[in-house]
Amino acid sequence: MRILLLGGTGEARELAHALAGERGLEIVSSLAGRISDPVRPGGTVRVGGFGGAEGLRNWLTDNAIELIVDATHPFAATMTAHAARASAQLGRPMVRLNRPGWTADPGDHWLRVPDLAAAARVSADTGDRILLTIGRQGVGAFAGYTRPWYLVRAIDPPEVALPPRHEILLARGPFTVEAESALLARHRIEVLVTKDSGGAATAAKLIAAREAGIPVVMVDRPPAPPGLVEVTSVRAARQWVTEYARRHPDSTSGVG
Ligand code: NAP
């Protein structure tokens, strides 16, 4: 059974690794090709967009994909929407691996906002020295704010309009709480802006912010397409896929 595994996350790499050992399954991992030096999953990997929902539909048919596993980032809403549409149109099953979001602990001061435009507004109202950890493309939402100073942390340099007062910090997680605390102190950060990505790899900044008494502007996740089958852990995704394959032995393409 050929499976498309939409990736770009640590969980997708873990899942590719876990499923590689399953007899009869052939996994094709897909990366968007956005960052210059991605950590590649093991096994077969393709890189680059499919050319919209229609391109994806054609690609799935041409490559005899029987099952779609969407393990993209919680904020990769376009890819998830395209995959859900292609899955419905072709009648191929799809499961979404979506790690749980973060929840505030006592001592946290979080301001939840629905999107980046609101994050830009609320953070500018909250402080003058702002750390942005929202990925490089989202920074464009802050471009019109001329008063605050922004520390923009991203893996690759942003290619969008930037606010006039900023510094770019190129870095890739995971980060330790100690390192995050030192960063907040060194730059005298007053507000942290982040997306509710969830997961352990980038959670240290939230602990550092709590310990320093710094407010966090937390961007909520985009809504999921209706009717999506979701699991929240690599283990559950692996179980779902192997169970599906077990129940549909006749649909295998003879690989493995
Ligand atoms: P997006 O807005 O949902 O997708 C935009 C377009 O990028 C899609 O329409 C598709 O192009 C292409 N694309 C996205 N993921 C792809 C994949 N796994 N394989 C092939 N094409 C893909 O996605 P995004 O938020 O820009 O994220 C891009 C990638 O970075 C994803 O793989 C995601 O898992 C990863 N990532 C995203 C974030 C984040 O905060 N958004 C954070 C960490 C990692 P076509 O329409 O041409 O098919």
Side-chain angles (χ1 to χ4, degrees):
M1 179 178 291
R2 278 170 71 81
I3 298 172
L4 172 63
L5 173 50
L6 295 165
T9 57
E11 285 88 349
R13 286 192 297 278
E14 273 177 53
L15 185 58
H17 180 73
L19 290 174
E22 298 287 346
R23 267 191 79 229
L25 301 186
E26 186 188 340
I27 313 298
V28 182
S29 289
S30 176
L31 301 177
R34 290 291 160 69
I35 56 175
S36 52
D37 181 23
V39 185
R40 288 172 74 97
T44 306
V45 181
R46 66 162 300 285
V47 180
F50 298 94
E54 197 187 332
L56 175 62
R57 215 165 48 233
N58 294 337
W59 190 93
L60 292 168
T61 308
D62 294 347
N63 288 275
I65 298 294
E66 294 179 49
L67 175 64
I68 305 163
V69 181
D70 174 19
T72 56
H73 190 269
F75 280 82
T78 306
M79 189 69 253
T80 296
H82 289 178
R85 201 179 320 156
S87 151
Q89 286 171 341
L90 295 174
R92 313 263 161 96
M94 165 170 160
V95 62
R96 165 95 170 118
L97 168 54
N98 207 9
R99 61 171 95 118
W102 288 313
T103 48
D105 278 341
D108 281 326
H109 176 35
W110 289 4
L111 302 159
R112 284 208 171 260
V113 293
D115 53 33
L116 286 169
R121 217 170 36 245
V122 170
S123 58
D125 285 345
T126 307
D128 278 335
R129 299 184 62 83
I130 302 175
L131 171 59
L132 299 183
T133 63
I134 50 170
R136 61 189 181 132
Q137 300 308 78
V139 183
F142 295 76
Y145 289 81
T146 53
R147 194 208 68 240
W149 175 85
Y150 295 93
L151 180 61
V152 181
R153 183 166 74 187
I155 296 176
D156 283 322
E159 288 165 351
V160 293
L162 295 171
R165 302 184 62 229
H166 74 265
E167 186 178 321
I168 307 277
L169 174 62
L170 298 182
R172 188 197 297 246
F175 306 99
T176 64
V177 176
E178 292 69 29
E180 297 291 53
S181 297
L183 183 78
L184 296 176
R186 188 163 64 250
H187 292 281
R188 292 177 286 116
I189 296 299
E190 297 170 359
V191 191
L192 166 66
V193 182
T194 184
K195 300 191 288 193
D196 187 5
S197 299
T202 54
K205 61 190 170 194
L206 302 175
I207 300 169
R210 183 194 312 145
E211 288 177 356
I214 291 173
V216 176
V217 176
M218 180 69 70
V219 182
D220 282 335
R221 294 177 170 199
L228 205 61
V229 177
E230 254 191 18
V231 293
T232 55
S233 70
V234 172
R235 195 166 155 213
R238 177 189 185 168
Q239 217 164 14
W240 196 97
V241 169
T242 52
E243 181 59 20
Y244 179 85
R246 195 184 62 74
R247 280 189 284 111
H248 298 83
D250 297 339
S251 70
T252 59
S253 54
V255 181

